[in-house]
Amino acid sequence: MHEAGFIGRIEWAVAGRPLSGQQVSGDRCAILDVGDGGVLFAVLDGLGHGTAAADAADRATRVLAENRAEPLDVLMVLCHRAMAGTRGAAVSLAQFGTADSVHWLGVGNVESQVLTAGPIGLDIRATVLLTGGIVGYRLPQNLQPQTISVRPGDLLLMSTDGIVIESPSTIDLSKSTAEITADILAKHAKDTDDALVLAARHRGGPAT
């Protein structure tokens, strides 16, 4: 699965595939226009593999689409309620707007980072502080979204634990997000798990 596009001036792409031998992946994503050039990105990793994992993640993506304007902590609680009785999932949310910041929140092991071009190569500007738990089964009591600063050209990278990137220095920020996600899936996906990676960045200038 490879998808890419623009919402306003935000360029995004996602690439993913199921575990070998499975027809469906339990790794899911949502790319939701929240208005005024902003986008809500969600990456979900349903516990385990196959249709049961996919069902859990799909319930959450539907809730996110219906409530996209809510704060991130509220969205996480709504996902938790929607996935009650399922296997549950790891969930990371990131709201990327036209301003110089990203708001994000993660429960479980879906990693999110912002990468930036440094003076001597690629730097990690920030990494989301993940909270332990399983959305749909055991949600932490204190959900505290983080806000980090970004610049036009910085890359938001979100990936399930089926993707293992040992060093971000291998990522070429000059490429499109579609090329970046395709490269990461091809080179860094584990053979023993579903895998999904999402990349987004603000291209600078006003929204069109």
Side-chain angles (χ1 to χ4, degrees):
M1 178 264 288
H2 296 267
E3 297 178 8
F6 278 84
I7 296 177
R9 295 294 296 167
I10 298 174
E11 174 199 7
W12 64 267
V14 61
R17 57 114 182 98
L19 172 69
S20 178
Q22 297 286 342
Q23 296 299 310
V24 297
S25 172
D27 291 358
R28 289 288 197 265
C29 70
I31 299 99
L32 302 168
D33 188 339
V34 297
D36 296 325
V39 187
L40 173 66
F41 295 105
V43 173
L44 309 94
D45 184 348
L47 207 62
H49 312 290
T51 55
D55 174 63
D58 284 343
R59 291 192 192 189
T61 58
R62 288 193 291 269
V63 165
L64 292 170
E66 294 166 359
N67 299 275
R68 65 188 71 186
E70 295 290 342
L72 298 187
D73 54 343
V74 173
L75 289 174
M76 196 68 78
V77 171
L78 293 174
C79 287
H80 179 66
R81 293 173 181 170
M83 288 191 285
T86 72
R87 291 183 175 184
V91 180
S92 278
L93 308 173
Q95 188 168 344
F96 203 143
T98 55
D100 56 354
S101 62
V102 170
H103 309 285
W104 58 15
L105 176 65
V107 176
N109 55 1
V110 173
E111 292 191 352
S112 300
Q113 295 180 323
V114 170
L115 307 179
T116 190
I120 58 173
L122 201 61
D123 291 333
I124 299 175
R125 178 180 290 275
T127 299
V128 67
L129 178 63
L130 297 173
T131 304
I134 301 171
V135 185
Y137 175 67
R138 185 179 66 254
L139 194 67
Q141 290 186 347
N142 296 319
L143 295 171
Q144 297 182 338
Q146 299 169 265
T147 299
I148 59 104
S149 62
V150 293
R151 300 176 301 190
D154 287 354
L155 186 77
L156 169 67
L157 196 65
M158 305 173 73
S159 59
T160 65
D161 64 350
I163 300 286
V164 179
I165 304 173
E166 295 182 357
S167 172
S169 62
T170 59
I171 297 171
D172 185 353
L173 286 188
S174 69
K175 292 184 175 182
S176 68
T177 54
E179 292 173 309
I180 289 171
T181 53
D183 286 348
I184 290 173
L185 184 67
K187 297 176 183 177
H188 301 289
K190 293 161 57 176
D191 295 331
T192 56
D193 202 354
D194 300 330
L196 186 142
V197 57
L198 182 150
R201 65 181 157 206
H202 191 275
R203 301 295 294 185
T208 56

